């Protein structure tokens, strides 16, 4: 989403996002279903991740690093939707 906002929003538009725009030097992006790098794109739910080249020479991704990034973005997204901006440790009591 940050990349799309950077491309279509008026200059100076402010927004909050978990990721950073691919137009500002970010090397990877992810949403619920897909991941993307400068060289490849793929579905986020395959194990191992299957890379589809975008163009030119495809550079292999670091499978573990990309999976960790996908999991981190999904985790924070889930937390924000469920609990909002509150970081309250008591919400985790009784969970393992």
């Amino acid at each position: 989403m940050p990349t799309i906002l950077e491309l279509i929003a008026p200059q100076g538009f402010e927004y909050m996002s978990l990721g950073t725009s691919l137009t500002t030097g970010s090397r990877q992006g992810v949403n619920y279903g897909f991941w993307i790098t400068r060289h490849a794109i793929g579905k986020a739910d395959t194990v191992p991740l299957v890379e589809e080249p975008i163009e030119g020479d495809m550079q292999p991704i670091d499978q573990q690093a990309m999976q960790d990034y996908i999991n981190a973005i999904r985790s924070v997204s889930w937390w924000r939707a469920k609990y909002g901006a509150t970081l309250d440790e008591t919400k985790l009591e009784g969970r393992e």
Side-chain angles (χ1 to χ4, degrees):
M1 198 64 200
T3 304
I4 293 171
L5 283 172
E6 288 289 325
L7 294 173
I8 66 171
Q11 188 172 3
F13 182 79
E14 293 184 17
Y15 63 94
M16 295 183 6
S17 173
L18 295 177
T20 56
S21 172
L22 295 175
T23 65
T24 60
S26 179
R27 296 183 302 162
Q28 62 193 9
V30 66
N31 67 17
Y32 184 78
F34 298 92
W35 59 267
I36 189 170
T37 68
R38 294 188 182 276
H39 304 284
I41 189 168
K43 292 182 179 178
D45 290 333
T46 60
V47 177
L49 298 171
V50 178
E51 305 165 50
E52 296 290 334
I54 294 175
E55 64 179 56
D57 295 331
M58 185 174 72
Q59 298 176 359
I61 62 167
D62 179 333
Q63 289 275 330
Q64 189 60 54
M66 182 60 81
Q67 193 61 61
D68 291 346
Y69 184 68
I70 291 168
N71 292 341
I73 293 294
R74 285 180 171 177
S75 297
V76 174
S77 296
W78 170 84
W79 183 274
R80 289 282 293 167
K82 185 163 178 80
Y83 298 115
T86 303
L87 296 176
D88 184 353
E89 289 182 11
T90 61
K91 294 194 183 301
L92 300 175
E93 289 177 4
R95 296 183 183 201
E96 294 183 26

